[in-house]
Amino acid sequence: MTTGGAATMPDAPPVLPRTLFGHPLGLSFLFLTGMWEVAALAGMRAILVFYLINQLHLTSAQAVEIYGASTAGSFLMSMIGGLLADRLFGFRRAVLWGALLLAFGHFALSIPVLLAPSLVVIAVGSGLFRPALIGQVWLLYLPGDTRSNRALLAYKVGCQIGGIFGPIAAGALYEFCGWLWAVIFCGAGMLAAVVIYISGREFLPRERPRVPAAAAIESKTETTFTPRKLALIGLIALGASLHWTVANQQGGTMAVWTFENLNRTLQIGQLSFKVPAAWFQTFNPIMILAFAPFVSRLWSRGNSTPAITVEIRRMVLGSLMLAASFAILWTGCDLSGPTPVNWLWFLISTAPLTLGEIYIDSMGQAFFCRQAPAGYLSTFLSLWLVTSTIGYLAAGWLGELWGKISPAHFFAISMMLALASALVIAAARYFTPRSTP
């Protein structure tokens, strides 16, 4: 394991006190900034479907389709945002402008007639913000530093704190105070992200000098895009897109399922409490926080296997765990028959889903960072985010089956797609470089 020598790189910050189990202090500011972005987006998305159905009186299928399209737009814009961060704005300005656009978009959601343009502004802001912020996590470390993969996991864990309290706060505000106060909370969260990011600027990687496009692509032999390398990247992207098609059902069809078909009553003695449906979306981020330390310790063990091979194996395992999650849901529906499914089935199924997300997301980010030519780090990270775009769009199309078939059959189809994801990613192993570092 390398130690804190990041100061020898031109792009790295000076030697810093190390926190968070030996990681640079800049990581703390980055994941706190990301935490508030996740809190705002997760909070808004946790209640968006309910708002569209209850206040705007759309059908469940229409609400799920809008949810999928709006969320996909945020990831799709990351392709443009990544290029702008690499070639024009720089990482820091991209993060700040993106955060301000996200704040404005969430505040504008308080006006019903601005629903569509507000979602567009949020998508543009997210596209600028996310790849530039994740790119700075990668730049905190020297090339080959084994801490970098675990840093991406640590960043994800920090962000998931927002994924826990965002839906709880927004869900409670929506149910007890109304949509207006819920989206104001989300906008205020993005302003908090701006304050945190600015306060930690001295600990972040310095801006990279602009590399001319032609020089960036031709800079090193290992960045040449041979047919073999394009096939490798393409298969990983396809497999990941299939994974997100299934995993992203949790904010759409599964949100509808928890609202309409799940027994959400918590009985304690003579007392009973009906848990708000939005709160069930906190199971996933809570489990990320619980599982991540054990996963990080597992990943820290010495391993002589090439990094690309390790990343592919872990992504395959992630999709297999996702398939197991939907197999559990399928079983719960089948055993419950026409009666509402006990909420414990949902809880149990979330465990493998969460582990699958940890494995595929952290390893996917590391894989695309490793493939990036000089000067295109944010752009390549945005390629990874585009797999989520495709997944969100496909999740909306898959969600159109909801109501046409039984939940059990829907979950069975989702399980098969997750297995297909694992097979496609596994096939990418045959296109890895014959001599990997």
Side-chain angles (χ1 to χ4, degrees), residues 63-76 119 123 389 392-393 396:
V64 169
E65 188 172 354
I66 291 173
Y67 170 89
S70 63
T71 308
S74 296
F75 289 98
L76 184 61
L119 292 175
T389 303
Y392 272 111
L393 288 172

Side-chain angles (χ1 to χ4, degrees), residues 28-29 32-33 35-36 191-201:
S28 305
F29 289 94
L32 286 172
T33 303
M35 179 193 76
W36 277 106
L191 294 180
V194 171
V195 172
I196 293 169
Y197 185 76
I198 291 175
S199 67
R201 293 184 74 174

Side-chain angles (χ1 to χ4, degrees), residues 5 39 80 91 99 103 114 134-135 138 179 239 242 281 316 341 386 396 423:
I80 299 174
F91 285 4
L114 295 181
I134 300 174
W138 187 259
W179 169 258
L242 287 170
Q281 295 186 46
V316 169
V341 178
V386 165
L423 289 173

